[in-house]
Amino acid sequence: MMRRLLLILACVLTGAVCQAQSVYECTGDNVNVRRGPGKNYEIVYTNIARPGKVQLFKGETVTYLGEKRNGFMKVKISDDKNPQPGPTWVSAQYLRKLGAGSGYQGGLSALERKVVGRHMLSLQWISWDYFGVCTITKEADGRLRCVGEQLSKEHPGDFLRLDGYVEIVNEKHLVFDGDIAIKVYHLNDGEEYVRTGQYDFKSTQNRKYWRAQNLEKIDATDYVDIYFK
């Protein structure tokens, strides 16, 4: 009888551990990773010599270690994001447990971490003084969704919009597949024009943005730029 109880207890404890160490997905961008359960704790940095904040982006996964305090969860993040030893905590409001049927294919690769997140977006006809926003997220099927918009302040109704997916060729070359819609008052008689298909976005001459390379010319050359984070 005692042996049976011990076996049941072992199964319960094992199950509790497995349940506690669950995989969670980040639901926000630029989410800080801290050394303790609260905003008063130090943010984790990539290294001591050249410090940079360790942050999570939408779609990245972490392992929950079963401890939750003050609205923060103790987690294990990938070793390449946390080269310095020590505990790591993330605000629970930005973490969502992945169920068995979620279909998610895993975390982000090193290249994906450079691409996934919020970027500034611009079209020269609208402005290079203020920018729009382009958000790239990793979906459950592993594809990288790309949605962006820049609106004109000087000419209400003028806009740049992106809606599609991107494929990473390398850190300086993205392939966008989807719609690029532009409406500028002095182009195409002020009417919206939409390009649909695959377009290369490349960073050349050490520029800190990917620029559309092969857009069909309407009235003049459009410089559509997605900036590095």
Side-chain angles (χ1 to χ4, degrees):
M1 182 68 177
M2 179 62 69
R3 183 178 179 182
R4 184 179 178 185
L5 287 174
L6 289 174
L7 285 173
I8 293 172
L9 180 60
C11 290
V12 170
L13 290 175
T14 302
V17 171
C18 292
Q19 184 176 15
Q21 294 192 1
S22 302
V23 177
Y24 279 69
E25 176 186 12
C26 182
T27 61
D29 286 320
N30 304 106
V31 177
N32 290 326
V33 179
R34 297 182 181 272
R35 288 300 184 193
K39 292 184 178 180
N40 55 315
Y41 284 86
E42 177 190 8
I43 294 174
V44 178
Y45 286 88
T46 52
N47 59 65
I48 298 172
R50 297 181 61 188
K53 289 182 181 180
V54 173
Q55 294 180 319
L56 298 178
F57 294 89
K58 189 178 294 183
E60 289 192 80
T61 57
V62 298
T63 301
Y64 172 48
L65 299 180
E67 188 175 352
K68 184 176 181 180
R69 282 187 284 157
N70 302 325
F72 279 72
M73 298 167 64
K74 190 176 184 179
V75 300
K76 176 177 173 53
I77 63 177
S78 62
D79 292 338
D80 60 335
K81 293 201 77 163
N82 183 33
Q84 304 298 321
T88 49
W89 295 74
V90 175
S91 174
Q93 66 177 312
Y94 299 112
L95 295 178
R96 176 178 60 201
K97 187 176 181 180
L98 290 179
S102 68
Y104 189 73
Q105 300 300 309
L108 300 178
S109 68
L111 269 179
E112 287 174 337
R113 284 197 293 274
K114 295 182 179 181
V115 174
V116 170
R118 285 170 62 93
H119 302 263
M120 294 189 304
L121 175 70
S122 73
L123 172 68
Q124 89 274 26
W125 307 121
I126 294 180
S127 181
W128 278 331
D129 294 321
Y130 58 86
F131 300 89
V133 174
C134 178
T135 303
I136 299 176
T137 56
K138 188 170 185 178
E139 296 195 327
D141 60 6
R143 293 191 299 169
L144 300 182
R145 185 90 166 99
C146 177
V147 178
E149 181 179 65
Q150 183 187 23
L151 301 176
S152 174
K153 295 180 180 179
E154 291 79 12
H155 303 280
D158 286 4
F159 59 78
L160 162 68
R161 293 191 180 114
L162 305 183
D163 190 350
Y165 292 86
V166 294
E167 179 182 347
I168 305 172
V169 178
N170 55 56
E171 63 181 13
K172 293 190 175 183
H173 183 186
L174 308 178
V175 177
F176 174 86
D177 189 353
D179 296 334
I180 301 175
I182 293 174
K183 184 178 183 299
V184 177
Y185 74 98
H186 59 85
L187 298 176
N188 195 40
D189 296 325
E191 297 296 322
E192 174 185 358
Y193 52 99
V194 181
R195 300 177 177 95
T196 301
Q198 287 191 345
Y199 299 95
D200 293 308
F201 278 72
K202 294 183 178 181
S203 171
T204 59
Q205 301 177 12
N206 294 319
R207 293 179 175 133
K208 300 301 182 182
Y209 52 79
W210 299 283
R211 172 167 287 176
Q213 299 294 303
N214 53 340
L215 296 179
E216 302 90 345
K217 190 172 181 179
I218 304 299
D219 289 340
T221 301
D222 295 323
Y223 294 141
V224 178
D225 300 326
I226 301 174
Y227 292 77
F228 297 173
K229 293 186 294 187

